Amino acid sequence: LQRVGCGRPNVWLKTVASLDGGIALRDGQKRWLTGVPMRHFVHELRSRCNALLTGIGTVLADDPELTCRAPAAESDSPSVFILDSQLRTPPDARLFCKGQRTVTLLCTHLAPKRRFITLQKTGARVTRLPANPQGQLDLNAVFNHLGTLGINTILVEAGTGVTTAMLGAGLVDKIYWTQSHHILGADSTPVVGP
């Protein structure tokens, strides 16, 4: 109903935070904040959506697959959209390893044409959309575009930058917030920025 009425998908934001509100150690070291039951829930949550969305920062930092695994089936893995204004996604990213779903890179008109061609050769779709005054993708244009594709529900799994921008723009309809018992410290990367 939201897509038909407003022209954009229903947006679910999933995040996991430490007890003190961090998502990652400042030095980039990996630390699991959740246990197996929550990871299973996330895979099931992914399987309920038409698409997943993340930012280039998450792709470069974590090299995620963004697939559905146990208890959901890999065949349930939805399409993936990457906010990548300048097409910095590596052609060998793990996102491209699972051929049964579509991976779309969303970039601005200023993205290098050479990168556009290289990434299309991986099998990815590359779509140019309008930029905001800061040269980043205009999030309203992004979600309106996703609505025209018929996406009803999209799950956002992203870092501080995308999470902060989406909350600031009022584009999040539902938040799945998991709090762990770990403490990452005052210099950790926060869930939400200024």
Side-chain angles (χ1 to χ4, degrees):
L1 290 174
Q2 177 165 303
R3 182 182 60 79
V4 172
C6 301
R8 69 170 181 84
N10 193 260
V11 179
W12 298 353
L13 174 70
K14 188 277 299 180
T15 192
V16 59
S18 63
L19 192 59
D20 53 347
I23 59 171
L25 296 168
R26 183 65 67 189
D27 63 7
Q29 293 294 313
K30 303 286 186 250
R31 176 169 180 103
W32 281 109
L33 293 175
T34 60
V36 173
M38 183 59 192
R39 288 196 288 275
H40 283 184
F41 174 73
V42 169
H43 294 303
E44 185 180 331
L45 191 62
R46 288 173 180 171
S47 73
R48 297 180 196 170
C49 298
N50 300 120
L52 305 175
L53 182 133
T54 195
I56 182 59
T58 297
V59 172
L60 295 175
D62 299 337
D63 193 19
E65 287 183 35
L66 293 176
T67 57
C68 297
R69 299 183 290 280
E74 280 195 16
S75 61
D76 291 335
S77 296
S79 301
V80 175
F81 291 85
I82 311 297
L83 300 174
D84 188 2
S85 297
Q86 295 301 310
L87 293 178
R88 296 185 298 147
T89 299
D92 61 349
R94 293 189 327 156
L95 291 164
F96 303 127
C97 295
K98 305 292 181 186
Q100 78 274 16
R101 50 113 192 229
T102 305
V103 175
T104 303
L105 303 169
L106 304 173
C107 66
T108 68
H109 295 282
L110 298 176
K113 185 167 176 94
R114 175 183 50 81
R115 296 287 300 160
F116 189 99
I117 294 166
T118 299
L119 288 163
Q120 277 188 325
K121 289 179 182 176
T122 67
R125 294 181 182 169
V126 183
T127 302
R128 295 184 189 271
L129 293 171
N132 64 20
Q134 293 76 38
Q136 299 298 315
L137 283 160
D138 179 305
L139 290 177
N140 285 306
V142 166
F143 286 97
N144 288 336
H145 172 70
L146 296 175
T148 65
L149 298 177
I151 295 170
N152 292 322
T153 305
I154 189 163
L155 178 65
V156 178
E157 297 185 57
T160 304
V162 171
T163 298
T164 303
M166 291 195 54
L167 290 170
L171 292 169
V172 177
D173 300 298
K174 188 173 194 175
I175 299 174
Y176 288 91
W177 183 294
T178 302
Q179 195 89 27
S180 84
H181 64 277
H182 299 291
I183 293 177
L184 294 184
D187 64 343
S188 64
T189 303
V191 174
V192 181

